[in-house]
Each structure stands twice: as structure tokens, then as C-alpha cells.
């Protein structure tokens, strides 16, 4: 089974109100999982929300350095909360035969949730990376884990060995 990993909106402009400890934990887990998936040629996609970007603030819209983008990773830009809406994301995932879509990043109550729902509506099997999501509202993280399918990094390690 081909896995895809979306790392959503980990950009300085969108992380200003989030807790630094939560961001650091999400980066640690996301980087670990990305390494596991890269080693088996699974798909890593960095989603960047560029709504409001212009030449004067371009740097604030780049993915934070704590989430390195590797040579074979892909980047998709968006202007809506759902990463599938008016982007080429669905086509990219279908071209690569992705079935299970692991989702991490910011913001649990908006872009993560809307992308999760968008993936489900398009027939993908979405899961949220445990300890991989960020929000400026801790209750949104709790609700996301409670109400959505969650996957841990040991399970991902097991899946890529199959």
C-alpha cells in the first residue's frame, strides 16, 4: 500500500499564536515519520497556505526550517483551508497511487480538519499523525484526536515494512 504524508501550513505566518512546545513536538514527530516514509519511497507533500503572500512577506510563508524539505518531497500551495480545493493535490496523490494519507501540521481546527474531510470525500483513507498536529487552541487538538482516525509512528513503521 502506498502512503502519502501531508505536512500542512507549518509556516511562521500561521504559527504565531501556537505553543512553542506543541510546535516542537509536532516537528519532531513529523520529521521522524517523514524519514521512515522517505526510506521506502512514499510520498511526502508540504502544503503551504499562501493567502496574503506578497513580495514583502514571502519569507513568512515558507515552511519553517525545523521541517526540512528534501529533494524528492513535493510542495503544494493553497489559498483555502482544504488542501484539495483548487489545487493539484488529488491528481498528485492519484498519480502516485496513494491510498492511506497521513496528515500532520497546523491548524487542527481548520486546515488539518478540512483537508482530512476533503481526503475522505475523495476516497482516500485519511489518518491524523499522533503528536503531529498544532493549534493555538489545545482543545482543538484534543477534539481532533478524539473525533478522527489517528495513527502512531510505530504503526507507520510496521506498515512500511509490509
Amino acid at each position: 500500500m502506498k502512503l502519502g504524508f501531508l505536512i500542512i501550513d507549518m509556516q511562521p505566518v500561521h504559527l504565531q499564536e501556537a505553543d512553542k512546545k506543541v510546535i516542537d513536538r509536532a516537528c519532531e514527530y513529523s520529521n521522524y515519520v517523514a524519514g521512515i516514509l522517505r526510506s521506502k519511497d512514499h510520498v511526502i507533500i508540504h502544503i503551504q497556505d499562501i493567502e496574503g503572500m506578497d513580495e514583502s512577506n514571502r519569507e513568512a510563508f515558507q515552511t519553517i526550517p525545523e521541517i526540512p524539505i528534501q529533494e524528492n518531497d513535493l510542495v503544494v500551495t493553497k489559498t483555502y483551508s482544504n488542501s484539495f480545493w483548487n489545487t493539484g493535490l488529488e491528481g498528485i496523490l492519484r498519480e502516485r497511487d496513494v491510498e492511506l494519507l497521513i496528515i500532520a501540521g497546523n491548524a487542527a481546527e481548520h486546515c488539518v480538519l478540512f483537508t482530512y474531510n476533503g481526503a475522505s470525500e475523495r476516497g482516500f483513507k485519511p489518518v491524523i499523525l499522533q503528536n503531529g498536529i498544532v493549534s493555538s487552541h489545545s482543545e482543538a487538538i484534543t477534539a481532533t484526536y478524539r473525533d478522527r482516525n489517528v495513527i502512531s509512528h510505530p504503526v507507520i513503521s510496521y506498515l512500511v515494512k509490509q
Side-chain angles (χ1 to χ4, degrees), residues 38-102:
R38 284 184 191 110
S39 74
K40 299 293 185 177
D41 295 321
H42 291 281
V43 181
I44 313 294
I45 303 175
H46 301 267
I47 307 293
Q48 297 175 340
D49 188 331
I50 59 169
E51 183 178 9
M53 184 176 77
D54 60 35
E55 286 304 316
S56 69
N57 63 7
R58 183 173 295 280
E59 188 66 29
F61 285 85
Q62 299 304 307
T63 299
I64 60 174
E66 293 85 355
I67 301 282
I69 300 174
Q70 301 293 322
E71 181 179 335
N72 290 327
D73 294 356
L74 303 170
V75 176
V76 171
T77 59
K78 67 180 180 72
T79 55
Y80 296 96
S81 294
N82 179 349
S83 301
F84 287 93
W85 191 253
N86 290 338
T87 70
L89 180 58
E90 181 177 5
I92 291 168
L93 296 171
R94 296 225 185 275
E95 285 172 9
R96 289 161 177 79
D97 297 319
V98 169
E99 295 176 54
L100 182 68
L101 192 58
I102 303 162

Side-chain angles (χ1 to χ4, degrees), residues 106-114 134-137 140-141 144:
N106 184 52
E109 71 279 21
H110 298 293
C111 300
V112 169
L113 174 61
F114 298 161
V134 177
S135 174
S136 57
H137 308 287
I141 295 172
T144 301

Side-chain angles (χ1 to χ4, degrees), residues 109-128:
E109 71 279 21
H110 298 293
C111 300
V112 169
L113 174 61
F114 298 161
T115 299
Y116 179 100
N117 291 340
S120 184
E121 291 165 354
R122 288 161 178 81
F124 296 101
K125 295 176 186 117
V127 292
I128 302 293

Side-chain angles (χ1 to χ4, degrees), residues 1 3 42 100 102 151 154-162:
M1 170 177 24
L3 306 179
H42 291 281
L100 182 68
I102 303 162
I151 193 167
V155 173
I156 295 167
S157 295
Y158 177 79
L159 288 174
V160 299
K161 290 178 184 175
Q162 299 305 307

Side-chain angles (χ1 to χ4, degrees), residues 108 113 116 128 130 133 138-151:
L113 174 61
Y116 179 100
I128 302 293
Q130 185 177 41
I133 59 174
S138 61
E139 66 276 5
I141 295 172
T142 302
T144 301
Y145 291 145
R146 182 193 65 223
D147 299 337
R148 302 290 179 267
N149 295 317
V150 178
I151 193 167

